[in-house]
Amino acid sequence: MTLPKDWHGRLSVPVIAAPMFLVSTPELVTACCLNGVLGTFPALNQRTTDGYALWLDRIEERLDGQDAAPFGVNLVVHRSNARLAADLEVTVRRRVPLVITSLGVEPEVIAAVHETGGLVFHDVTTRRFAERAITAGVDGLIAVAQGAGGHAGALNPFALVAELRRDFAGPLVLGGALTHGTQVAAAQLMGADMAYIGTRFIATPESSAQPGHRDMILDGGGGDVALSAAVSGVPANFLRASLAAAGIDPDGAEIAHERNFGTTGNLRPWRDIWAAGQGIGSIGKVEPAAKICREMARDYRAALEQAPGLAAGLRT
Ligand SMILES: Cc1cc2nc3c(=O)[nH]c(=O)nc-3n(C[C@H](O)[C@H](O)[C@H](O)COP(=O)(O)O)c2cc1C
């Protein structure tokens, strides 16, 4: 397993709790970190850079002196993010251990994080994006496969991991519809080092998801999730019923720039149209993040213990 050296002995299961817009909170991050899972949140979950810095205070205070996993922050590296420079400055000054970049890759951002010893992992959905990220100097890749909540790739996870592994021997994290410790072990057997898990942590008391968002996850299955570009312009997985409630045909080919959300009432993308991955069918109740992390670690270990038995009865 290729894990950054600083993380050795700090995780109880090789999982990153993925950043989720309007869902991840400092409480969710710290509950994960205190239970052996690397917790993260998007800097944009706070309305201002000062607010973002206050969240870092809360996380650091809670984790100070504890036996905890590292935490991370997601920065959107795109010209639409007017806060990038200010948020990056705070991120670097506060020495955030892991920065997850999405929607763009900039060597200057990576260099700034490296200067204070932080690591940069970058979200990719194809080999071409991965090549750009590797050239730019990222430390790790996050393979976002088909079925992931929010912006998702089109590739099957087996295909994506195999393709990325041709050129990259460093830390590789696989995301997309993973919810259980057994699947974390499976991701490693496929060639990934870690799992990237978002949707599983929406139905927790620590998340700031709307009650309706949680309920739809508890009641739904993979078929209730649809890939649509109507919300952000980039294909992303949302709960079909929340798309329909916003007047969007879940099976339509609409893309965001054709729709002006400002004129369709008070609906706001992501707040009122809810993202989720295809793994929702295995989520049956709201449970504390600590319990989810502990069970993931337990089931991961159990799966690894059973793994040698899978070849029983075969010719050698
Ligand atoms: C509600 C929701 C919000 C998300 N917001 C972000 C975000 O702000 N930034 C980001 O990089 N990824 C975001 N994602 C994607 C996740 O970080 C991750 O790729 C995904 O959750 C993994 O697939 P899974 O949900 O099937 O576990 C979001 C996903 C969900 C479900």
Side-chain angles (χ1 to χ4, degrees), residues 18-21 23 42 74 102 123 144 147-150 176-178 196-199 202 213 270 275-277:
M20 291 183 284
F21 188 49
V23 169
N74 169 229
S102 49
D123 263 13
V144 183
L178 303 169
Y196 196 56
I197 299 184
T199 297
I202 297 176
H213 191 178
W270 301 91

Side-chain angles (χ1 to χ4, degrees), residues 169-214:
L172 178 61
V173 189
L174 174 65
L178 303 169
T179 59
H180 196 270
T182 311
Q183 297 162 339
V184 178
Q188 287 189 321
L189 290 176
M190 283 164 66
D193 296 299
M194 300 182 76
Y196 196 56
I197 299 184
T199 297
R200 181 67 186 95
F201 291 99
I202 297 176
T204 56
E206 293 89 353
S207 91
S208 52
Q210 304 279 329
H213 191 178
R214 287 201 188 107

Side-chain angles (χ1 to χ4, degrees), residues 148-153 225-240 242-244 246-256 258-259 261 270 273-276 278:
H151 296 146
V225 172
L227 191 72
S228 173
V231 177
S232 70
V234 179
N237 277 313
F238 293 96
L239 290 156
R240 299 177 78 88
S242 74
L243 287 166
I248 297 170
D249 175 1
D251 300 307
E254 188 181 7
I255 42 179
E258 293 166 356
R259 167 176 288 268
F261 277 98
W270 301 91
I273 305 170
W274 298 320
Q278 289 177 354

